[in-house]
mmCIF file of all heavy atoms in Angstrom:
data_model
loop_
_atom_site.group_PDB
_atom_site.id
_atom_site.type_symbol
_atom_site.label_atom_id
_atom_site.label_comp_id
_atom_site.label_asym_id
_atom_site.label_seq_id
_atom_site.Cartn_x
_atom_site.Cartn_y
_atom_site.Cartn_z
ATOM 1 N N LYS A 203 6.644 -22.101 -22.243
ATOM 2 C CA LYS A 203 7.152 -22.575 -20.956
ATOM 3 C C LYS A 203 8.670 -22.526 -20.999
ATOM 4 O O LYS A 203 9.306 -23.321 -21.693
ATOM 5 C CB LYS A 203 6.662 -23.996 -20.686
ATOM 6 C CG LYS A 203 7.115 -24.589 -19.358
ATOM 7 C CD LYS A 203 6.588 -26.020 -19.216
ATOM 8 C CE LYS A 203 6.990 -26.652 -17.900
ATOM 9 N NZ LYS A 203 6.503 -28.050 -17.794
ATOM 10 N N ALA A 204 9.253 -21.576 -20.260
ATOM 11 C CA ALA A 204 10.711 -21.445 -20.181
ATOM 12 C C ALA A 204 11.119 -21.688 -18.735
ATOM 13 O O ALA A 204 10.741 -20.925 -17.838
ATOM 14 C CB ALA A 204 11.142 -20.055 -20.636
ATOM 15 N N GLU A 205 11.857 -22.752 -18.516
ATOM 16 C CA GLU A 205 12.181 -23.183 -17.158
ATOM 17 C C GLU A 205 13.557 -22.678 -16.724
ATOM 18 O O GLU A 205 14.396 -22.289 -17.534
ATOM 19 C CB GLU A 205 12.138 -24.702 -17.065
ATOM 20 C CG GLU A 205 10.764 -25.307 -17.282
ATOM 21 C CD GLU A 205 9.842 -25.091 -16.096
ATOM 22 O OE1 GLU A 205 10.063 -25.697 -15.030
ATOM 23 O OE2 GLU A 205 8.899 -24.281 -16.227
ATOM 24 N N ALA A 206 13.772 -22.707 -15.403
ATOM 25 C CA ALA A 206 15.015 -22.205 -14.829
ATOM 26 C C ALA A 206 16.232 -22.980 -15.295
ATOM 27 O O ALA A 206 17.352 -22.450 -15.286
ATOM 28 C CB ALA A 206 14.930 -22.243 -13.305
ATOM 29 N N ASP A 207 16.037 -24.242 -15.722
ATOM 30 C CA ASP A 207 17.178 -25.042 -16.175
ATOM 31 C C ASP A 207 17.494 -24.808 -17.647
ATOM 32 O O ASP A 207 18.358 -25.485 -18.215
ATOM 33 C CB ASP A 207 16.915 -26.534 -15.935
ATOM 34 C CG ASP A 207 15.705 -27.063 -16.706
ATOM 35 O OD1 ASP A 207 15.065 -26.288 -17.453
ATOM 36 O OD2 ASP A 207 15.387 -28.263 -16.546
ATOM 37 N N GLY A 208 16.818 -23.847 -18.284
ATOM 38 C CA GLY A 208 17.094 -23.540 -19.684
ATOM 39 C C GLY A 208 16.240 -24.307 -20.663
ATOM 40 O O GLY A 208 16.335 -24.075 -21.876
ATOM 41 N N SER A 209 15.389 -25.203 -20.170
ATOM 42 C CA SER A 209 14.512 -25.937 -21.081
ATOM 43 C C SER A 209 13.381 -25.022 -21.544
ATOM 44 O O SER A 209 12.950 -24.126 -20.825
ATOM 45 C CB SER A 209 13.941 -27.181 -20.399
ATOM 46 O OG SER A 209 13.165 -26.829 -19.274
ATOM 47 N N PHE A 210 12.914 -25.280 -22.770
ATOM 48 C CA PHE A 210 11.896 -24.423 -23.365
ATOM 49 C C PHE A 210 10.921 -25.279 -24.138
ATOM 50 O O PHE A 210 11.317 -26.215 -24.857
ATOM 51 C CB PHE A 210 12.551 -23.399 -24.303
ATOM 52 C CG PHE A 210 11.573 -22.497 -25.006
ATOM 53 C CD1 PHE A 210 11.161 -21.313 -24.430
ATOM 54 C CD2 PHE A 210 11.053 -22.837 -26.250
ATOM 55 C CE1 PHE A 210 10.253 -20.478 -25.073
ATOM 56 C CE2 PHE A 210 10.143 -22.021 -26.904
ATOM 57 C CZ PHE A 210 9.745 -20.830 -26.304
ATOM 58 N N GLU A 211 9.627 -24.957 -23.970
ATOM 59 C CA GLU A 211 8.587 -25.612 -24.758
ATOM 60 C C GLU A 211 7.604 -24.555 -25.245
ATOM 61 O O GLU A 211 7.422 -23.518 -24.609
ATOM 62 C CB GLU A 211 7.815 -26.635 -23.926
ATOM 63 C CG GLU A 211 8.558 -27.889 -23.565
ATOM 64 C CD GLU A 211 7.637 -28.852 -22.821
ATOM 65 O OE1 GLU A 211 6.725 -29.424 -23.478
ATOM 66 O OE2 GLU A 211 7.798 -28.979 -21.608
ATOM 67 N N ALA A 212 6.973 -24.848 -26.350
ATOM 68 C CA ALA A 212 5.962 -23.935 -26.887
ATOM 69 C C ALA A 212 4.878 -24.716 -27.590
ATOM 70 O O ALA A 212 5.166 -25.660 -28.340
ATOM 71 C CB ALA A 212 6.596 -22.939 -27.849
ATOM 72 N N ASN A 213 3.648 -24.338 -27.315
ATOM 73 C CA ASN A 213 2.522 -24.764 -28.131
ATOM 74 C C ASN A 213 2.081 -23.561 -28.961
ATOM 75 O O ASN A 213 1.782 -22.502 -28.405
ATOM 76 C CB ASN A 213 1.356 -25.257 -27.262
ATOM 77 C CG ASN A 213 1.612 -26.627 -26.667
ATOM 78 O OD1 ASN A 213 2.338 -27.436 -27.243
ATOM 79 N ND2 ASN A 213 1.019 -26.892 -25.512
ATOM 80 N N VAL A 214 2.091 -23.723 -30.261
ATOM 81 C CA VAL A 214 1.689 -22.657 -31.171
ATOM 82 C C VAL A 214 0.342 -23.049 -31.766
ATOM 83 O O VAL A 214 0.231 -24.085 -32.447
ATOM 84 C CB VAL A 214 2.739 -22.445 -32.274
ATOM 85 C CG1 VAL A 214 2.281 -21.354 -33.238
ATOM 86 C CG2 VAL A 214 4.092 -22.090 -31.661
ATOM 87 N N PHE A 215 -0.668 -22.246 -31.498
ATOM 88 C CA PHE A 215 -2.023 -22.541 -31.960
ATOM 89 C C PHE A 215 -2.350 -21.663 -33.159
ATOM 90 O O PHE A 215 -2.112 -20.449 -33.148
ATOM 91 C CB PHE A 215 -3.023 -22.304 -30.831
ATOM 92 C CG PHE A 215 -2.853 -23.248 -29.681
ATOM 93 C CD1 PHE A 215 -2.001 -22.931 -28.623
ATOM 94 C CD2 PHE A 215 -3.525 -24.460 -29.649
ATOM 95 C CE1 PHE A 215 -1.841 -23.808 -27.555
ATOM 96 C CE2 PHE A 215 -3.367 -25.346 -28.589
ATOM 97 C CZ PHE A 215 -2.515 -25.020 -27.543
ATOM 98 N N LEU A 216 -2.928 -22.269 -34.168
ATOM 99 C CA LEU A 216 -3.240 -21.572 -35.409
ATOM 100 C C LEU A 216 -4.671 -21.068 -35.401
ATOM 101 O O LEU A 216 -5.536 -21.589 -34.687
ATOM 102 C CB LEU A 216 -3.040 -22.509 -36.598
ATOM 103 C CG LEU A 216 -1.693 -23.249 -36.668
ATOM 104 C CD1 LEU A 216 -1.625 -24.082 -37.934
ATOM 105 C CD2 LEU A 216 -0.533 -22.275 -36.580
ATOM 106 N N GLY A 217 -4.894 -20.039 -36.227
ATOM 107 C CA GLY A 217 -6.233 -19.507 -36.353
ATOM 108 C C GLY A 217 -7.193 -20.515 -36.938
ATOM 109 O O GLY A 217 -8.395 -20.494 -36.660
ATOM 110 N N LYS A 218 -6.666 -21.412 -37.778
ATOM 111 C CA LYS A 218 -7.456 -22.512 -38.316
ATOM 112 C C LYS A 218 -6.490 -23.619 -38.716
ATOM 113 O O LYS A 218 -5.289 -23.405 -38.868
ATOM 114 C CB LYS A 218 -8.284 -22.059 -39.510
ATOM 115 C CG LYS A 218 -7.453 -21.576 -40.701
ATOM 116 C CD LYS A 218 -8.342 -21.188 -41.873
ATOM 117 C CE LYS A 218 -7.494 -20.721 -43.066
ATOM 118 N NZ LYS A 218 -8.347 -20.360 -44.233
ATOM 119 N N ALA A 219 -7.018 -24.809 -38.864
ATOM 120 C CA ALA A 219 -6.178 -25.941 -39.265
ATOM 121 C C ALA A 219 -5.562 -25.662 -40.626
ATOM 122 O O ALA A 219 -6.174 -25.039 -41.501
ATOM 123 C CB ALA A 219 -7.003 -27.219 -39.290
ATOM 124 N N GLY A 220 -4.300 -26.123 -40.803
ATOM 125 C CA GLY A 220 -3.602 -25.838 -42.054
ATOM 126 C C GLY A 220 -2.915 -27.059 -42.625
ATOM 127 O O GLY A 220 -2.749 -28.087 -41.971
ATOM 128 N N GLN A 221 -2.518 -26.931 -43.879
ATOM 129 C CA GLN A 221 -1.765 -27.968 -44.577
ATOM 130 C C GLN A 221 -0.369 -27.425 -44.884
ATOM 131 O O GLN A 221 -0.202 -26.248 -45.209
ATOM 132 C CB GLN A 221 -2.471 -28.346 -45.892
ATOM 133 C CG GLN A 221 -3.896 -28.864 -45.724
ATOM 134 C CD GLN A 221 -3.949 -30.236 -45.102
ATOM 135 O OE1 GLN A 221 -3.029 -31.046 -45.303
ATOM 136 N NE2 GLN A 221 -5.004 -30.511 -44.332
ATOM 137 N N ASN A 222 0.619 -28.308 -44.751
ATOM 138 C CA ASN A 222 1.992 -27.946 -45.107
ATOM 139 C C ASN A 222 2.467 -26.724 -44.310
ATOM 140 O O ASN A 222 3.033 -25.781 -44.863
ATOM 141 C CB ASN A 222 2.088 -27.669 -46.616
ATOM 142 C CG ASN A 222 3.523 -27.741 -47.122
ATOM 143 O OD1 ASN A 222 4.398 -28.327 -46.472
ATOM 144 N ND2 ASN A 222 3.773 -27.141 -48.261
ATOM 145 N N VAL A 223 2.204 -26.758 -42.981
ATOM 146 C CA VAL A 223 2.529 -25.645 -42.100
ATOM 147 C C VAL A 223 3.631 -26.064 -41.137
ATOM 148 O O VAL A 223 3.641 -27.189 -40.632
ATOM 149 C CB VAL A 223 1.285 -25.193 -41.303
ATOM 150 C CG1 VAL A 223 1.649 -24.128 -40.281
ATOM 151 C CG2 VAL A 223 0.216 -24.664 -42.248
ATOM 152 N N SER A 224 4.556 -25.159 -40.889
ATOM 153 C CA SER A 224 5.626 -25.391 -39.919
ATOM 154 C C SER A 224 5.858 -24.127 -39.110
ATOM 155 O O SER A 224 5.328 -23.061 -39.418
ATOM 156 C CB SER A 224 6.918 -25.816 -40.630
ATOM 157 O OG SER A 224 7.369 -24.785 -41.496
ATOM 158 N N ALA A 225 6.672 -24.263 -38.064
ATOM 159 C CA ALA A 225 6.966 -23.115 -37.206
ATOM 160 C C ALA A 225 8.427 -23.135 -36.795
ATOM 161 O O ALA A 225 9.057 -24.196 -36.713
ATOM 162 C CB ALA A 225 6.076 -23.124 -35.964
ATOM 163 N N GLU A 226 8.959 -21.955 -36.541
ATOM 164 C CA GLU A 226 10.323 -21.795 -36.048
ATOM 165 C C GLU A 226 10.304 -20.803 -34.890
ATOM 166 O O GLU A 226 9.586 -19.807 -34.934
ATOM 167 C CB GLU A 226 11.252 -21.258 -37.143
ATOM 168 C CG GLU A 226 11.407 -22.182 -38.330
ATOM 169 C CD GLU A 226 12.294 -21.584 -39.413
ATOM 170 O OE1 GLU A 226 12.726 -20.405 -39.231
ATOM 171 O OE2 GLU A 226 12.570 -22.263 -40.406
ATOM 172 N N ILE A 227 11.121 -21.094 -33.876
ATOM 173 C CA ILE A 227 11.242 -20.180 -32.748
ATOM 174 C C ILE A 227 12.717 -19.916 -32.480
ATOM 175 O O ILE A 227 13.511 -20.850 -32.323
ATOM 176 C CB ILE A 227 10.570 -20.725 -31.477
ATOM 177 C CG1 ILE A 227 9.066 -20.961 -31.709
ATOM 178 C CG2 ILE A 227 10.766 -19.764 -30.307
ATOM 179 C CD1 ILE A 227 8.339 -21.503 -30.503
ATOM 180 N N THR A 228 13.063 -18.638 -32.403
ATOM 181 C CA THR A 228 14.418 -18.215 -32.075
ATOM 182 C C THR A 228 14.360 -17.373 -30.813
ATOM 183 O O THR A 228 13.490 -16.503 -30.665
ATOM 184 C CB THR A 228 15.024 -17.372 -33.216
ATOM 185 O OG1 THR A 228 15.014 -18.163 -34.420
ATOM 186 C CG2 THR A 228 16.446 -16.944 -32.889
ATOM 187 N N ILE A 229 15.278 -17.633 -29.891
ATOM 188 C CA ILE A 229 15.331 -16.894 -28.634
ATOM 189 C C ILE A 229 16.433 -15.842 -28.718
ATOM 190 O O ILE A 229 17.576 -16.148 -29.082
ATOM 191 C CB ILE A 229 15.583 -17.825 -27.435
ATOM 192 C CG1 ILE A 229 14.551 -18.964 -27.408
ATOM 193 C CG2 ILE A 229 15.556 -17.037 -26.133
ATOM 194 C CD1 ILE A 229 13.127 -18.506 -27.252
ATOM 195 N N LEU A 230 16.082 -14.606 -28.377
ATOM 196 C CA LEU A 230 17.022 -13.490 -28.408
ATOM 197 C C LEU A 230 17.225 -12.958 -26.993
ATOM 198 O O LEU A 230 16.284 -12.913 -26.184
ATOM 199 C CB LEU A 230 16.486 -12.355 -29.286
ATOM 200 C CG LEU A 230 16.049 -12.718 -30.713
ATOM 201 C CD1 LEU A 230 15.482 -11.487 -31.410
ATOM 202 C CD2 LEU A 230 17.207 -13.296 -31.506
#
Side-chain angles (χ1 to χ4, degrees):
K203 181 181 181 182
E205 295 286 290
D207 62 1
S209 61
F210 178 89
E211 289 184 71
N213 285 332
V214 178
F215 294 90
L216 309 183
K218 63 178 181 179
Q221 301 289 329
N222 199 19
V223 174
S224 62
E226 297 178 357
I227 300 180
T228 302
I229 306 298
L230 307 177

